[in-house]
Amino acid sequence: MENKKEMRNWLNEFNLSHPLVIAGPCSAETEEQVLKIAHELKDSDVSVFRAGIWKPRTRPGGFEGVGEIGLKWLKKAKAETGLLMGTEVATAAHCKLALENDIDVLWVGARTTANPFAVQEIADTLAGTDKIVLIKNPVNPDMALWLGGVERLYAAGIKKLGVIHRGFSTYEKTKYRNIPEWQIAIELQNKFPDLPLIIDPSHITGNRDMILEVTQEALDLNYDGMIIETHNDPENAWSDAAQQVTPDALKQIFKDLKIRKVSGDSDFEHKMTKLRANIDVLDANLLDLLGKRMKVADEIGQVKKDNNVAVLQSNRWNEIQAKMIAEGAKKGLTEEFIIKLFKDIHQESIGHQEKILNS
């Protein structure tokens, strides 16, 4: 699959003066609820109304969606408001029902993206469709798996494609429900700059109070749109209550978001050239320091080998981590960043030492 300007055609056809907005409840609960929210969103920046019809739950016993009847509610909402309708599909059967009910936007969820067999079945069912088809990143941080899903849909002759960045699962406790791992989305964006990229701050944060912050960060990275869960009574939502906002709160987010220019004037470019040159020098110095650190790790590995000592010394690692978190805070670096950075450095050091011990 090659990047093509035509990948943006479906997005350009919206002719928007602002990023694309997809919004609506996590789950369609009742016909009344669907229609009420759709009417509250119709005279706003929202172009596509979203609602989950089938809800994959991690464990059985939870609300798993109203099923096919919800599609009828979406058709009625479309007729009354003029908004396009979107929902998640996870099986070939879902796709067939969505097409029969003229759903405009279909997206493949994170759990499904992680299963190439399921994505292929969906691609085969949707082959040649003129509907907009979006694919969320897989639950695990794997850019190749995400891109592979796009390629399967592309190979099926689906022209209106895009990706949704909803964050990645982690066993570590962070402020996010799903950590963004921005670099993965940026890497995909660099490979396919014309493939529309949409942020899902609801699933990244799991917290309505962080929606604006994460959406702004995405727009600053030139994302093309957002998909935000919106409910008329979030506290009593049947699923994912904590991450949904009211229609009024969503409209305030639109007002608070700052849309940046893609580029600036000549004075801006001159300043950026100087600053980027400075960054290049600092990056080179960082690599030089890391190289020197790993040479010391090699020496440590040799000493451990000579004395038949195990590579991993947990107490030492805990001391380093605590010290670096404290030092990083003094320099304006977040604890999350420091932990991730030194975890990677530590892992690289262990690799160097294991190589020496096993040589």
Side-chain angles (χ1 to χ4, degrees):
M1 187 175 81
E2 297 180 3
N3 182 71
K4 297 179 180 179
K5 293 292 183 183
E6 291 78 10
M7 288 178 168
R8 303 188 66 81
N9 284 352
W10 69 263
L11 182 61
N12 293 336
E13 286 170 4
F14 279 96
N15 196 28
L16 299 172
S17 60
H18 53 77
L20 176 69
V21 181
I22 303 171
C26 173
S27 300
E29 299 167 359
T30 65
E31 180 177 344
E32 179 184 14
Q33 172 239 22
V34 167
L35 294 175
K36 180 175 177 59
I37 299 171
H39 277 281
E40 290 188 37
L41 295 178
K42 72 172 183 176
D43 294 321
S44 69
D45 287 349
V46 176
S47 296
V48 181
F49 180 84
R50 57 139 295 151
I53 302 300
W54 303 279
K55 300 299 297 180
R57 312 316 300 175
T58 302
R59 301 176 65 184
F63 174 61
E64 295 185 338
V66 296
E68 184 178 355
I69 186 64
L71 297 172
K72 310 298 181 186
W73 305 342
L74 294 187
K75 286 183 71 174
K76 188 171 182 179
K78 180 178 180 178
E80 292 187 8
T81 66
L83 291 170
L84 298 184
M85 295 291 130
T87 198
E88 179 178 331
V89 290
T91 68
H94 292 169
C95 294
K96 291 175 182 177
L97 287 170
L99 292 177
E100 289 171 6
N101 286 274
D102 198 28
I103 301 301
D104 304 285
V105 180
L106 311 177
W107 69 85
V108 180
R111 291 178 177 88
T112 309
T113 305
N115 182 349
F117 293 108
V119 176
Q120 189 60 56
E121 287 185 359
I122 288 172
D124 292 341
T125 305
L126 296 177
T129 185
D130 64 350
K131 302 297 185 182
I132 297 168
V133 183
L134 310 174
I135 187 160
K136 288 193 173 186
N137 63 255
V139 290
N140 48 314
D142 187 336
M143 200 276 286
L145 189 58
W146 191 6
L147 183 56
V150 178
E151 290 171 334
R152 291 177 186 276
L153 296 169
Y154 181 85
I158 301 170
K159 304 299 185 185
K160 299 178 180 180
L161 289 172
V163 291
I164 299 175
H165 177 202
R166 52 81 76 190
F168 302 88
S169 297
T170 176
Y171 65 88
E172 297 175 348
K173 186 177 181 180
T174 74
K175 67 179 183 178
Y176 302 105
R177 177 180 176 183
N178 296 289
I179 54 175
E181 297 285 9
W182 295 104
Q183 74 279 5
I184 295 178
I186 290 170
E187 183 181 353
L188 189 147
Q189 188 181 45
N190 287 338
K191 287 178 178 290
F192 295 94
D194 290 304
L195 182 66
L197 175 60
I198 295 169
I199 189 70
D200 179 353
S202 304
H203 281 90
I204 286 178
T205 66
N207 178 353
R208 67 177 62 90
D209 294 333
M210 295 172 63
I211 299 292
L212 174 61
E213 170 192 338
V214 169
T215 305
Q216 183 65 67
E217 190 165 0
L219 294 185
D220 290 346
L221 293 170
N222 296 323
Y223 281 50
D224 298 292
M226 63 202 78
I227 179 168
I228 300 178
E229 293 187 350
T230 309
H231 196 291
N232 58 314
D233 185 13
E235 296 296 342
N236 293 302
W238 295 4
S239 58
D240 288 346
Q243 66 192 37
Q244 300 192 66
V245 299
T246 64
D248 285 343
L250 181 68
K251 293 171 186 176
Q252 186 60 50
I253 288 172
F254 297 155
K255 294 178 182 178
D256 294 338
L257 285 171
K258 297 177 176 63
I259 310 301
R260 316 291 188 188
K261 294 184 293 184
V262 176
S263 61
D265 56 22
S266 58
D267 181 56
F268 165 85
E269 296 297 340
H270 176 68
K271 290 177 180 177
M272 289 301 294
T273 297
K274 292 178 64 177
L275 291 170
R276 284 168 176 160
N278 197 6
I279 286 285
D280 290 343
V281 171
L282 292 171
D283 284 345
N285 290 339
L286 280 173
L287 288 176
D288 184 56
L289 284 173
L290 287 171
K292 291 177 180 177
R293 191 189 192 284
M294 293 309 154
K295 287 184 179 179
V296 175
D298 290 340
E299 294 176 14
I300 291 173
Q302 187 62 51
V303 172
K304 287 179 179 177
K305 181 178 181 179
D306 294 342
N307 290 272
N308 196 30
V309 174
V311 168
L312 184 61
Q313 304 290 314
S314 297
N315 290 338
R316 168 64 176 163
W317 164 238
N318 291 335
E319 289 174 5
I320 291 174
Q321 185 170 247
K323 180 180 179 181
M324 291 302 102
I325 288 172
E327 290 298 317
K330 295 177 184 177
K331 296 173 173 58
L333 303 174
T334 65
E335 179 176 333
E336 180 184 13
F337 171 71
I338 291 296
I339 290 174
K340 182 174 176 56
L341 173 64
F342 278 90
K343 180 181 177 181
D344 289 343
I345 291 174
H346 185 236
Q347 188 59 50
E348 181 72 9
S349 296
I350 288 175
H352 276 246
Q353 293 178 38
E354 286 181 337
K355 185 175 180 180
I356 290 173
L357 261 70
N358 294 319
S359 63

